[in-house]
Amino acid sequence: MVNKTLVAAAAITLSSLALTSCGDSDASSGTDNGGSGDGAITMGFAQVGAESGWRTANTKSIQDTAKAEGVDLKFTDAQGKQENQIQAIRSYIQQKVDVIAFSPVVETGFDAVLQEAKAANIPVILTDRAVDADPSLYKTFLGSDFVVEGEKAGQWLVDNAADADANGDGTINVVQLEGTTGAAPAIDRAEGFADKIAADDSIEVTASQTGDFTRDGGKQVMESFLQSDDSIDVVFAHNDDMGLGAIEAIEAAGLEPGKDVKIITIDAVKDGMTALSEGKINYIVECNPLLGPQLMDLAQKVLDGEEVPARVLTEESAFTPEQAAEVLADRQY
Ligand code: AHR
């Protein structure tokens, strides 16, 4: 359940003053907590990579907000590899940053490095994606509810099932383009979608494979799906980029995306919204990447010793082609 009060509190815009680390600002203690030394917070951020339009917008939000708030941001692009992310976190521990934030590439395998951060007394904030680890190893988790996103996608299909049955044979064959295997959004979106479509026996997921959240991955997997099956009614892509790749594959196969094959995606980045407004995608569930302001706010509170909620959810919407056309011009990402 979204706690809107907590979301609103976390979203309060910060003052233009630089965020400060308690340790650094306590000149009397004479201790060096490894911060920038000028009282500003030093944050180590280990990003997943640059796999999608969503990720690019997320990185920009974090970097821009850090700059505006005077946070000394040490940023690493893990290039989609968990080992790079763990290495980056270890390096932040060695550098004695004030706070570590990261968006885990996959859900499992972070226990040891999180223990190390805890032992070094460096608070950790999860952004965007969850880890499957003891919750006492991190202070809070800021990001979307991916299960709800998958549910919204599934519910749209249930509500529009009659339209989705292109050849009118009474069955709706869905192919799923999964996100990165083992990543929270891939696991949760598949779960939420499956839960909702279970309400309609005519809807069936006939094939499901990872496209790794990339446009190329979505295109390649869709090409192979189209080669082995000529009865695909619907594509459910776990993000816009894979959906955009699928559009290329569908057009190359001589079919019309959005008509011959319905497409549902998640993210609502500009390229996706453009394709939606053109009718090539039929429905997009929003996933908000603009986490920078809430992240910096949470970091300041954690370093000030304030209680923060264990989970901070972002507020999100969903769009039809008509709605996309209305909001496209003002879309920030
Ligand atoms: O974790 C968020 C997901 O990661 C976005 O939906 C996707 O585009 C990105 O790669």
Side-chain angles (χ1 to χ4, degrees):
M1 183 71 189
V2 177
N3 185 331
K4 294 207 169 150
T5 313
L6 296 177
V7 171
I12 289 169
T13 310
L14 296 166
S15 77
S16 58
L17 292 172
L19 301 188
T20 53
S21 87
C22 285
D24 274 345
S25 60
D26 182 9
S28 62
S29 74
T31 54
D32 175 13
N33 72 359
S36 59
D38 58 4
I41 289 177
T42 302
M43 175 185 284
F45 190 94
Q47 181 60 289
V48 171
E51 72 282 6
S52 63
W54 189 99
R55 191 63 56 197
T56 305
N58 178 246
T59 292
K60 186 172 180 330
S61 171
I62 289 159
Q63 290 178 331
D64 287 356
T65 314
K67 198 168 174 201
E69 309 285 358
V71 171
D72 178 11
L73 183 71
K74 298 180 187 303
F75 183 91
T76 310
D77 174 341
Q79 301 181 337
K81 294 198 170 76
Q82 182 178 33
E83 59 267 32
N84 291 348
Q85 210 164 35
I86 290 174
Q87 202 179 6
I89 296 168
R90 290 217 162 100
S91 136
Y92 297 145
I93 295 170
Q94 271 178 357
Q95 293 172 58
K96 298 188 168 77
V97 297
D98 297 313
V99 57
I100 292 170
F102 76 112
S103 171
V105 175
V106 290
E107 275 192 346
T108 55
F110 287 98
D111 305 62
V113 77
L114 287 171
Q115 294 279 8
E116 290 164 36
K118 191 171 186 182
N121 223 3
I122 300 176
V124 173
I125 298 176
L126 297 180
T127 75
D128 165 34
R129 296 180 180 181
V131 289
D132 187 3
D134 175 356
S136 75
L137 295 176
Y138 53 89
K139 292 288 175 192
T140 179
F141 166 32
L142 161 68
S144 311
D145 186 328
F146 298 133
V147 176
V148 169
E149 291 174 350
E151 286 174 352
K152 286 182 189 170
Q155 189 59 54
W156 181 86
L157 184 53
V158 169
D159 294 343
N160 293 273
D163 261 7
D165 185 10
N167 59 9
D169 66 357
T171 61
I172 296 146
N173 296 330
V174 183
V175 294
Q176 181 168 236
L177 299 173
E178 300 166 22
T180 303
T181 305
I187 296 167
D188 294 352
R189 287 170 183 169
E191 181 192 318
F193 185 75
D195 277 357
K196 287 294 171 184
I197 63 167
D200 185 337
D201 287 346
S202 69
I203 303 174
E204 195 191 339
V205 177
T206 52
S208 186
Q209 202 175 308
T210 182
D212 215 10
F213 281 129
T214 67
R215 207 172 284 209
D216 267 5
K219 186 179 175 192
Q220 278 172 33
V221 174
M222 192 63 206
E223 280 168 354
S224 82
F225 284 163
L226 285 164
Q227 274 159 20
S228 56
D229 184 358
D230 62 4
S231 65
I232 298 169
D233 295 307
V234 177
V235 175
F236 170 43
H238 287 183
N239 78 344
D240 285 355
D241 281 80
M242 291 190 295
L244 292 163
I247 288 174
E248 290 178 35
I250 291 166
E251 285 175 338
L255 297 168
E256 212 181 327
K259 294 213 167 59
D260 298 326
V261 181
K262 300 279 191 277
I263 304 180
I264 309 164
T265 69
I266 296 179
D267 273 356
V269 296
K270 253 192 183 142
D271 285 356
M273 293 291 270
T274 303
L276 179 63
S277 71
E278 291 167 349
K280 294 185 176 189
I281 294 178
N282 303 84
Y283 192 61
I284 299 187
V285 177
E286 185 179 42
C287 179
N288 186 358
L290 306 180
L291 303 179
Q294 283 170 290
L295 171 60
M296 299 309 157
D297 187 30
L298 286 167
Q300 180 68 76
K301 286 186 170 132
V302 165
L303 292 170
D304 285 348
E306 283 182 40
E307 280 296 314
V308 291
R311 180 77 167 98
V312 181
L313 283 160
T314 45
E315 288 196 77
E316 285 152 357
S317 173
F319 302 94
T320 61
E322 297 72 30
Q323 291 163 333
E326 273 171 34
V327 301
L328 198 52
D330 300 324
R331 204 78 190 144
Q332 283 182 63
Y333 54 90

